[in-house]
């Protein structure tokens, strides 16, 4: 009993902080969406009845899904190379992935302004190569946002998966080889299935991160590529329509939590190491 | 390892790393440019854009604010996070499982939603000052890192050492400071650094919690980019990269960077 | 299916460290050979070289007529049983066992049938749908064994396969392994640091140290007639005493050492004794006697420990510190002067200089 009390006592400040300043305010934001006139779901009916708002939601989902897909594919093969590299190279490659991760979102998104602008490096190269039609306007397109977000999330994916791949015991791989499996067979039949739970965890991180991103779509996409994050900011701080902003916030929370819950449950079911 | 990596895979990884490093190198190049517009490769080298950062009052002020908020938020998060991490490990059996989920909630709730909700309920609703709300937001933002990293180092801590100290006559509260904390020191350092860098780089929470005279560096960068497109942003970015390198050096010294893949 | 294994002049390095030094070893068809030694002696390196996970810097590996030295691991067709079992955590017991057959392109139905037959042999039929995480240590070990055997390899190798099991299960499993290996008449290499395990399971044992084989013989020979001081100490001959033969009376050799050491040894029981040699004894092969006039090694007794069947005494002698034993009926005290007399059945003769 005493132990129980000291446990509670020591975690009380952190619990209070989270309850008072996270759960209550976010709960209030969500609760507010049910209080607008015209029935409990009026705010959502209203949201989905507008073509522009629907477009923003679908566009954000599309960008997040494509970003996740590309990050997972790129991250997985890169992490595989990193995890199989010699110890020296492995630490160099891990450091090279940590550096962009710790460099802020603003700095990394800004890099794409320089890269993709009309006078940017990519256009300069295209002009120099004499490509017809160059320079192109590449900024402020959905493609630019996706490329910049993939850039943002690949390091996270690589680091998550290197950990997962390194946890596959060497002797399991050797056992497969001793039983006659060729390296491609080992990759398909042993390494990939064992990495799937990690892939799911990484994919969740990337999806929720890109679904709720603000800085990158704002800088690289601008007004042309409005997504949920930039839309929320615009409604809250430019048009001061807090009811609308709250509805956007609530949709973001619901989508994020639903994806996290569904995918972690799936990852747990697929994880043979957990039992 | 059995078998060598296929050259196709190695080539792929080389391209990916070029993709990861390239844009950052271009930012460095642009920062050293002598021209008044952003371009790469730089035409003429100069450091004048670094000097320019400090001539612009808004950059000076927001840098100071960012450092203050990051330091204070990290300290606050450690003060509440360390006991929580300790309780989660020491009294694992006695405490309910959802408690540990509670401390990772700030990661699950979108940052931008947290920022907006704090603006709505705490700053406007409860009338908290701008700076306090910003500090609260960042404390919440970094709390999960503190709890998780310190929990990880406590997970390998043998609590019978603590019992040994108590049996030798050390009071319980004192034992926490003389025995437990020194043994998770590297975890605390790592938590501090991760939290600090997370706070310094944050956009989504601070976005809503800035007010007259109070803004953070990333928000100032965003505002500046939207009006001017000059190399001063590149030089600020380089300064932030230098900070990142310094932070990585400290992490490498204390823990080894590979702990980030765990 | 079976074939002899032949290692010739194998040398291996980890980086610049030489871990295996010109090692040669021949394992006959259907024979079970153990590599025995402390960690770092090179036994696991040898196994990894044979399996193909390491490449030797010099030397060759042959299995029957096939040169394995440069063959990739997955084409060597060797059944391997790992210390941590190394089961595929995402595959059921049945799929684990069928894995090797699948790589060999066997049709799904046929390999399930073969795998089931193998599981029946190791008594795991009811568990075939389980995942490895749901099995006990002994069950995992059986799956690992079945998985290695089902591909009918000409060579089976075991890397400390029993070290994670409890004592009782370890004994049961080693009997089971030996029976399966005998029944299939498969050539086998067994790596272990456990002397009892190696001696009980093997036809022959190679005792290794510092990347070399110190002696390769049948367990009985190793246990009774070690060839050198290293092996002698390894199998429990703790006391090594340098002696010189002074007088020979028929089979009896009277030998002397420093400080009044004088012993009589029987060549009929110990084999031929050269003029200069080392006498090696186990503690039980050195009997403590209080009679002052008897032949033997003069000793001053120290700590006495009770072992159930006898007392052991720490003893200071002119030949250095020795451990001797005495009967329970007449315990002696610390500080007593006594003589230590060698008993032939717990002694052996080593060449001069082996000490």
């Amino acid at each position: 009993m005493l132990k129980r009390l000291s446990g509670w006592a020591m975690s009380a400040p952190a619990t209070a902080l989270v309850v008072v300043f996270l759960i209550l305010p976010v709960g209030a934001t969500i609760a507010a969406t049910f209080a607008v006139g015209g029935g409990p779901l009026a705010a959502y009916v209203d949201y989905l009845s507008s073509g522009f708002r629907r477009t923003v939601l679908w566009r954000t989902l599309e960008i997040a899904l494509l970003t996740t897909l590309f990050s997972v594919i790129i991250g997985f093969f890169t992490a595989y190379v990193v995890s199989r590299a010699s110890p020296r190279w492995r630490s160099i490659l891990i450091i090279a992935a940590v550096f962009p991760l710790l460099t802020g979102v603003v700095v990394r998104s800004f890099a794409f302004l320089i890269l993709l602008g009309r006078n940017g490096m990519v256009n300069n190269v295209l002009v120099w190569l004499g490509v017809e039609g160059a320079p192109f306007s590449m900024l402020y397109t959905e493609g630019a946002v996706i490329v910049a977000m993939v850039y943002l999330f690949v390091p996270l994916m690589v680091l998550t998966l290197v950990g997962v791949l390194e946890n596959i015991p060497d002797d399991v791989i050797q056992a497969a080889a001793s039983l006659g499996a060729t390296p491609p067979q080992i990759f398909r039949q042993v390494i990939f299935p064992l990495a799937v739970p990690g892939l799911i965890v990484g994919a969740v991180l990337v999806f929720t991160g890109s679904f709720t991103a603000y800085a990158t779509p704002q800088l690289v996409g601008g007004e042309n590529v409005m997504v949920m994050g930039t839309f929320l900011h615009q409604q809250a701080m430019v048009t001061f329509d807090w009811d609308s902003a709250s509805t956007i916030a609530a949709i973001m929370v619901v989508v994020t939590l639903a994806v996290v819950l569904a995918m972690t449950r799936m990852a747990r079911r697929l994880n043979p190491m957990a039992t | 390892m059995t078998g060598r990596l296929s050259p196709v895979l190695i080539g792929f990884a080389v391209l990916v790393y070029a993709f990861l490093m390239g844009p950052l190198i271009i930012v460095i190049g642009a920062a050293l440019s002598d021209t008044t517009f952003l371009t790469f490769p730089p035409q003429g080298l100069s450091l004048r854009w670094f000097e320019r950062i400090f001539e612009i009052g808004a950059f000076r002020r927001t840098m100071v604010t960012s450092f203050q908020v990051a330091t204070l938020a990290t300290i606050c998060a450690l003060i509440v996070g360390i006991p929580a991490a300790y309780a989660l490990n020491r009294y694992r059996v006695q405490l309910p499982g959802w408690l540990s989920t509670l401390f990772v909630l700030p990661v699950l709730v979108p940052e931008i939603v947290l920022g907006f909700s704090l603006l709505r309920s705490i700053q406007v609703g409860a009338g908290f000052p701008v700076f306090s709300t910003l500090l609260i937001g960042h404390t919440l933002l970094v709390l999960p890192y503190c709890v998780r990293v310190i929990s990880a180092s406590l997970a390998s801590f043998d609590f019978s050492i603590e019992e040994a100290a108590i049996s030798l006559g050390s009071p319980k509260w004192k034992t926490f400071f003389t025995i437990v904390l020194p043994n998770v020191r590297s975890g605390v350092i790592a938590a501090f650094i991760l939290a600090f860098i997370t706070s310094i780089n944050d956009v989504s929470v601070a976005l809503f919690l800035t007010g007259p005279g109070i803004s953070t560096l990333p928000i100032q960068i965003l505002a500046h980019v939207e009006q001017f497109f000059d190399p001063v942003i590149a030089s600020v970015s380089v300064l932030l990269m230098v900070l990142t390198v310094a932070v990585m050096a400290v992490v490498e010294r204390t823990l080894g960077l590979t702990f980030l893949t765990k | 299916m079976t074939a002899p294994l032949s290692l010739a002049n194998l040398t291996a390095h980890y980086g610049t460290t030489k871990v295996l030094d010109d090692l040669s070893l021949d394992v006959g068809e259907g024979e079970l050979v153990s590599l025995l030694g402390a960690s770092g002696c090179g036994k696991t390196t040898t196994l990894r070289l044979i399996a193909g996970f390491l490449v030797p810097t010099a030397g060759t590996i042959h299995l029957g007529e096939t040169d394995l030295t440069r063959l990739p691991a997955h084409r060597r067709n060797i059944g391997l049983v790992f210390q941590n079992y190394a089961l595929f955590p995402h595959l059921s017991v049945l799929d684990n066992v069928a894995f090797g057959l699948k790589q060999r392109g066997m049709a799904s139905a046929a390999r399930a049938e073969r795998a089931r037959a193998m599981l029946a042999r190791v008594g795991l039929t009811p568990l075939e749908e389980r995942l490895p995480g749901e099995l006990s240590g002994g069950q995992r070990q059986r799956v690992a064994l079945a998985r290695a055997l089902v591909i009918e390899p000409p060579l089976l190798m075991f890397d400390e396969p029993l070290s994670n099991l409890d004592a009782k299960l370890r004994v049961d499993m080693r009997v089971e392994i030996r029976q399966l290996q005998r029944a299939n008449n498969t050539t086998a290499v067994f790596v272990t640091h456990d002397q009892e395990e190696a001696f009980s399971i093997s036809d022959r044992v190679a005792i290794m140290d510092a990347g070399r084989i110190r002696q390769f013989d049948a367990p009985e020979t190793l246990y009774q007639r070690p060839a050198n001081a290293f092996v002698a100490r390894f199998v429990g001959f703790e006391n090594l005493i340098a002696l010189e033969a002074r007088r020979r009376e028929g089979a009896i050799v009277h030998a002397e050492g420093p400080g009044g050491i004088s012993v009589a040894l029987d060549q009929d029981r110990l084999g031929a004794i050269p003029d200069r040699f080392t006498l090696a004894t186990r503690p039980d092969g050195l009997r403590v006697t209080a009679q002052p006039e008897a032949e033997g090694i003069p000793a001053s007794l120290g700590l006495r420990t009770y072992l159930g069947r006898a007392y052991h005494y720490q003893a200071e002698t002119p030949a250095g510190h020795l451990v001797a034993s005495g009967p329970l009926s007449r315990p002696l005290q610390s500080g007593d002067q006594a003589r230590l007399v060698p008993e032939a059945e717990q002694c052996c003769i080593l060449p001069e200089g082996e000490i």
Side-chain angles (χ1 to χ4, degrees):
Chain A
M1 198 57 218
L2 200 66
K3 277 192 153 185
R4 205 187 163 97
L5 274 181
S6 10
W8 279 111
M10 295 189 84
S11 41
T15 309
L17 185 75
V18 173
V19 170
V20 173
F21 293 114
L22 182 97
I23 295 181
L24 291 181
V26 173
T29 302
I30 295 172
T33 64
F34 298 109
V36 290
L41 291 177
Y44 299 94
V45 173
D46 184 45
Y47 184 95
L48 290 175
S49 68
S50 151
F52 173 73
R53 294 173 184 203
R54 273 203 311 270
T55 311
V56 171
L57 177 59
W58 296 143
R59 181 193 291 136
T60 313
L61 284 170
E62 184 191 339
I63 290 175
L65 282 173
L66 287 172
T67 302
T68 308
L69 182 71
F70 291 132
S71 304
V72 164
I73 296 171
I74 294 173
F76 180 68
F77 288 102
T78 311
Y80 180 70
V81 174
V82 174
S83 70
R84 297 291 161 231
S86 68
R88 208 183 116 79
W89 269 105
R90 194 165 56 217
S91 24
I92 292 174
L93 293 174
I94 286 175
I95 288 171
V98 170
F99 179 65
L101 193 68
L102 292 183
T103 305
V105 178
V106 174
V107 172
R108 285 192 287 159
S109 306
F110 168 69
F112 276 83
L113 285 184
I114 310 181
L115 206 59
L116 299 180
R118 266 196 105 74
N119 290 315
M121 175 132 125
V122 174
N123 268 325
N124 285 349
V125 170
L126 292 179
V127 170
W128 182 75
L129 287 173
V131 175
E132 197 156 332
F136 300 100
S137 42
M138 287 177 283
L139 279 177
Y140 314 120
T141 61
E142 239 179 85
V145 174
I146 293 172
V147 171
M149 296 240 258
V150 168
Y151 174 72
L152 219 55
F153 287 109
V154 160
L156 186 68
M157 202 70 211
V158 170
L159 291 175
T160 308
L161 286 173
V162 166
V164 171
L165 290 170
E166 280 179 347
N167 276 343
I168 299 177
D170 269 358
D171 61 3
V172 168
I173 292 163
Q174 290 170 355
S178 80
L179 292 164
T182 60
Q185 284 171 323
I186 295 175
F187 189 83
R188 265 203 318 277
Q189 297 179 27
V190 180
I191 294 171
F192 182 73
L194 289 177
V196 165
L199 278 173
I200 292 175
V201 170
V204 168
L205 290 176
V206 176
F207 181 84
T208 55
S210 47
F211 184 70
T212 63
Y214 170 78
T216 310
Q218 172 68 19
L219 277 175
V220 183
E223 303 251 317
N224 288 347
V225 193
M226 184 79 78
V227 294
M228 295 299 271
T230 49
F231 192 32
L232 168 57
H233 179 251
Q234 192 227 37
Q235 293 293 298
M237 306 304 273
V238 182
T239 56
F240 291 102
D241 182 349
W242 282 13
D243 285 339
S244 164
S246 298
T247 309
I248 300 167
I251 294 173
M252 286 170 93
V253 171
V254 168
V255 171
T256 306
L257 288 185
V259 168
V260 169
L261 288 180
M263 297 298 260
T264 41
R265 178 157 300 181
M266 192 161 124
R268 204 168 295 153
R269 243 212 357 248
L270 286 172
N271 189 354
M273 314 265 217
T275 46
Chain B
M1 204 61 272
T2 54
R4 311 238 30 96
L5 283 166
S6 93
V8 179
L9 273 178
I10 293 176
F12 179 79
V14 169
L15 283 178
V16 171
Y17 272 94
F19 173 61
L20 289 184
M21 290 299 132
L24 296 177
I25 292 167
I26 285 164
V27 170
I28 297 172
L32 296 171
S33 167
D34 197 25
T35 49
T36 53
F37 52 95
L38 275 165
T39 180
F40 188 89
Q43 294 157 13
L45 289 176
S46 100
L47 289 175
R48 71 177 170 121
W49 294 104
F50 286 90
E51 291 163 25
R52 183 88 185 102
I53 303 172
F54 298 95
E55 290 162 21
I56 303 175
F59 278 116
R60 270 204 322 268
R61 280 195 304 275
T62 53
M63 255 185 232
V64 172
T65 310
S66 272
F67 267 85
Q68 283 173 339
V69 170
T71 311
L72 288 173
T74 303
I75 290 171
C76 291
L78 283 175
I79 289 174
V80 300
I82 292 173
Y86 175 85
L88 285 179
N89 282 276
R90 182 75 174 84
Y91 307 110
R92 191 186 304 275
V93 195
Q94 285 86 12
L95 294 175
W98 54 260
L99 200 61
S100 60
T101 315
L102 188 73
F103 300 133
V104 295
L105 261 191
V107 176
L108 296 182
V109 172
E111 286 163 30
I112 194 163
V113 173
L114 172 63
F116 172 63
S117 300
L118 284 173
L119 168 73
R120 202 174 152 277
S121 300
I122 305 299
Q123 190 176 316
V124 175
F128 274 50
V130 175
F131 187 84
S132 310
T133 321
L134 183 59
L135 184 57
I136 289 168
H138 274 210
T139 305
L140 280 169
L141 179 71
V142 302
L143 179 70
Y145 295 95
C146 295
V147 174
R148 231 185 63 197
V149 172
I150 292 166
S151 276
S153 56
L154 276 169
S156 57
F157 176 75
D158 180 1
F159 284 102
S160 59
I161 298 172
E162 191 192 14
E163 286 165 359
I166 293 170
S167 78
L168 291 167
S170 164
K172 192 158 181 1
W173 61 270
K174 205 176 159 191
T175 310
F176 180 78
F177 290 99
T178 54
I179 303 296
V180 182
L181 266 191
N183 276 291
V184 295
R185 204 188 57 193
S186 60
V188 175
I189 294 173
F192 187 99
I193 283 165
L194 277 180
F196 187 87
I197 203 94
T198 304
S199 168
I200 279 279
N201 286 329
D202 169 71
V203 174
S204 298
V205 174
L207 193 57
F208 298 92
L209 305 178
T210 53
I214 298 178
S215 185
T216 65
L217 185 57
I219 301 297
Q220 169 62 25
I221 295 177
L222 275 181
H224 190 94
V225 170
E226 275 165 18
Q227 293 168 41
F228 318 96
F229 199 61
D230 61 20
V232 74
I233 297 299
S235 3
V236 176
S237 301
V238 171
L239 280 191
L240 284 170
M241 283 189 229
V242 170
L243 176 74
T244 307
V245 170
V247 157
M248 285 174 67
V250 177
V251 175
E252 176 65 30
R253 282 281 169 79
T254 49
L255 281 178
L257 280 166
T258 42
F259 96 96
L260 287 168
T261 64
K262 297 281 154 25
Chain C
M1 207 159 56
T2 182
L5 173 73
S6 172
L7 313 180
N9 311 100
L10 281 182
T11 301
H13 292 79
Y14 280 130
T16 52
T17 322
K18 191 185 265 189
V19 287
L20 217 58
D21 186 6
D22 196 30
L23 178 137
S24 298
L25 180 76
D26 284 292
V27 183
E29 239 178 71
E31 188 181 26
L32 194 157
V33 164
S34 283
L35 306 180
L36 174 64
S39 66
C41 72
K43 57 188 194 296
T44 299
T45 305
T46 309
L47 180 120
R48 294 169 61 81
L49 283 170
I50 303 170
F53 303 137
L54 277 180
V55 180
T57 27
T60 58
I61 303 163
H62 282 85
L63 184 60
E65 298 300 306
T66 323
D67 183 353
L68 296 185
T69 319
R70 302 280 151 191
L71 212 59
H74 65 270
R75 290 175 53 199
R76 295 196 180 196
N77 200 21
I78 294 171
L80 256 172
V81 179
F82 292 79
Q83 178 169 12
N84 298 315
Y85 321 125
L87 300 178
F88 306 119
H90 59 300
L91 298 180
S92 69
V93 165
L94 186 70
D95 288 340
N96 258 281
V97 176
F99 186 91
L101 302 172
K102 187 176 176 186
Q103 311 312 315
R104 283 159 179 72
M106 190 182 276
S108 166
R111 63 178 189 248
E113 189 185 330
R114 280 269 293 280
R116 286 207 176 89
M118 196 64 231
L119 281 174
R121 278 183 70 186
V122 295
L124 286 180
T125 304
L127 302 179
E128 65 174 51
E129 291 307 319
R130 298 270 184 93
L131 288 177
E134 303 164 331
L135 303 180
S136 70
Q139 289 165 342
R140 289 183 207 190
Q141 185 62 80
R142 285 195 169 81
V143 177
L145 192 59
R147 185 179 69 175
L149 281 168
V150 78
I151 59 173
E152 296 182 352
L155 174 66
L156 263 175
M157 296 207 292
F158 301 85
D159 184 9
E160 307 252 9
L162 308 175
S163 59
N164 290 333
L165 302 177
D166 61 45
K168 164 87 173 77
L169 200 52
R170 202 178 305 167
V171 174
D172 294 348
M173 278 306 295
R174 78 187 181 214
V175 171
E176 204 166 315
I177 287 176
R178 182 60 159 158
Q179 281 167 344
L180 283 165
Q181 180 261 341
R182 275 274 174 80
N184 293 20
N185 193 34
T186 310
T187 310
V189 174
F190 192 100
V191 163
T192 179
H193 66 273
D194 182 325
Q195 196 184 122
E196 183 192 312
E197 194 171 290
F199 282 14
S200 66
I201 203 172
S202 314
D203 295 304
R204 283 191 293 170
V205 175
I207 293 182
M208 294 185 64
D209 172 50
R212 287 175 300 153
I213 292 176
R214 302 301 298 257
Q215 191 173 354
F216 180 39
D217 262 315
E220 295 85 348
T221 313
L222 288 169
Y223 195 74
Q224 283 154 23
R225 295 284 176 264
N228 49 56
F230 179 85
V231 176
R233 286 208 175 84
F234 197 91
V235 299
F237 292 93
E238 283 179 40
N239 306 312
L240 298 190
I241 307 150
L243 295 173
E244 254 176 75
R246 283 292 154 83
R247 234 160 8 94
R248 293 173 186 270
E249 289 173 3
I252 304 297
V253 175
H254 293 275
E256 290 178 3
I261 295 176
S262 158
V263 297
L265 301 167
D266 185 352
Q267 293 195 91
D268 285 347
R269 302 176 70 179
L270 289 167
I273 297 174
D275 283 348
R276 289 165 173 277
F277 62 98
T278 298
L279 174 70
T281 87
R282 296 196 166 91
D284 287 338
L286 216 48
R287 183 171 45 82
V288 171
T289 166
Q291 287 149 338
E293 72 281 10
E295 261 198 333
I297 301 160
S300 164
L301 298 184
L303 183 71
R304 184 183 74 205
T305 51
Y306 174 65
L307 292 182
R309 62 180 195 284
Y311 287 115
H312 275 187
Y313 296 89
Q314 305 298 316
E316 294 307 324
T317 74
H321 181 90
L322 301 176
V323 184
S325 68
L328 295 174
S329 54
R330 268 170 291 131
L332 298 172
Q333 303 305 318
S334 178
D336 284 359
Q337 297 301 312
R339 287 198 167 247
L340 312 179
V341 182
E343 303 270 4
E345 58 267 32
Q346 298 289 355
C347 293
C348 69
I349 304 295
L350 302 175
E352 179 190 5
E354 290 285 346
I355 198 144

